[in-house]
Amino acid sequence: MKNSHYVPRFILKKFSDRLCLYNIKTKEYKENVKPEKAYAAKGFYDDVIEDNLNLKIESEFSNFLSERILKCESTIELSRKELRLIKKFLLISIMRSVGTEDFVQKEKYFYESLGEIYERNGIDKNEAEKERPFIEVKIPSETNREYWLRTINVILDTDGSQKKF
């Protein structure tokens, strides 16, 4: 099982070849940590997702950051594709940082709680359902971690456009 990073190494390497880390939960302070060892855990993802993160988002975003953003001297105009890349990278980054349980509690039941809000405000729930960008697949006996990993894969596999099926 690979050492999985929840903060990408290419971001950490922009700071230094050695980092100082402080864990706010444990109050532990570490000095001279290599970026390869920082913000990582064995088995945080499975090896397939770790590879997909690198191939489908991190390498492309790293190149974009280095070649377009960091070299920019004044104004930058972004194409729709570049904007989708930024959004996708940030969404994945948020999912990595909040972890499985927090993500699942906020995401998995979003549309269910939205339906209750519609009803309280006199909005036709059936009409509102037509505006949903997708219908959530419910997989019996799927764990929260499996749902979180599946959601990461869905994001990695989409181009970020809102195609209607």
Side-chain angles (χ1 to χ4, degrees):
M1 191 152 291
K2 294 180 182 179
N3 199 26
S4 303
H5 285 82
Y6 43 95
V7 175
R9 283 183 296 179
F10 77 87
I11 297 288
L12 298 172
K13 288 179 180 179
K14 298 280 185 215
F15 291 96
S16 178
D17 61 347
R18 300 283 183 177
L19 304 167
C20 295
L21 305 177
Y22 180 73
N23 187 321
I24 59 173
K25 289 183 181 176
T26 65
K27 311 274 190 254
E28 182 182 13
Y29 176 75
K30 293 181 183 178
E31 291 184 354
N32 296 317
V33 178
K34 293 179 182 181
E36 293 78 24
K37 303 282 184 191
Y39 302 104
K42 290 254 188 245
F44 192 71
Y45 317 105
D46 60 34
D47 291 350
V48 173
I49 288 186
E50 182 69 19
D51 291 341
N52 282 339
L53 283 166
N54 185 37
L55 292 171
K56 294 182 178 182
I57 191 72
E58 290 177 353
S59 58
E60 187 177 357
F61 187 82
S62 178
N63 290 335
F64 170 74
L65 181 66
S66 296
E67 299 301 317
R68 292 271 285 139
I69 302 293
L70 297 178
K71 287 184 177 179
C72 179
E73 294 184 16
S74 60
T75 303
I76 186 168
E77 290 185 28
L78 301 173
S79 67
R80 288 193 185 277
K81 182 179 177 185
E82 290 169 330
L83 189 55
R84 281 195 301 263
L85 173 66
I86 293 168
K87 288 177 179 181
K88 189 175 191 175
F89 176 78
L90 292 175
L91 180 58
I92 292 287
S93 296
I94 290 167
M95 288 182 65
R96 291 168 125 171
S97 65
V98 298
T100 305
E101 295 305 318
D102 287 340
F103 171 77
V104 170
Q105 291 308 312
K106 291 176 182 139
E107 164 63 20
K108 195 170 189 179
Y109 305 105
F110 174 78
Y111 284 107
E112 289 174 21
S113 59
L114 192 59
E116 294 168 11
I117 293 168
Y118 287 152
E119 286 178 13
R120 280 197 306 256
N121 290 294
I123 300 169
D124 183 5
K125 188 176 176 182
N126 293 326
E127 285 300 312
E129 284 287 316
K130 293 177 186 176
E131 298 300 316
R132 286 178 69 163
F134 63 90
I135 301 299
E136 181 70 52
V137 174
K138 296 187 191 254
I139 299 174
S141 73
E142 180 179 51
T143 67
N144 285 347
R145 178 167 172 72
E146 290 166 339
Y147 174 81
W148 181 70
L149 292 171
R150 179 169 59 95
T151 304
I152 289 173
N153 273 323
V154 168
I155 295 166
L156 289 172
D157 288 341
T158 184
D159 69 357
S161 64
Q162 290 186 325
K163 296 176 186 169
K164 296 286 184 181
F165 297 96

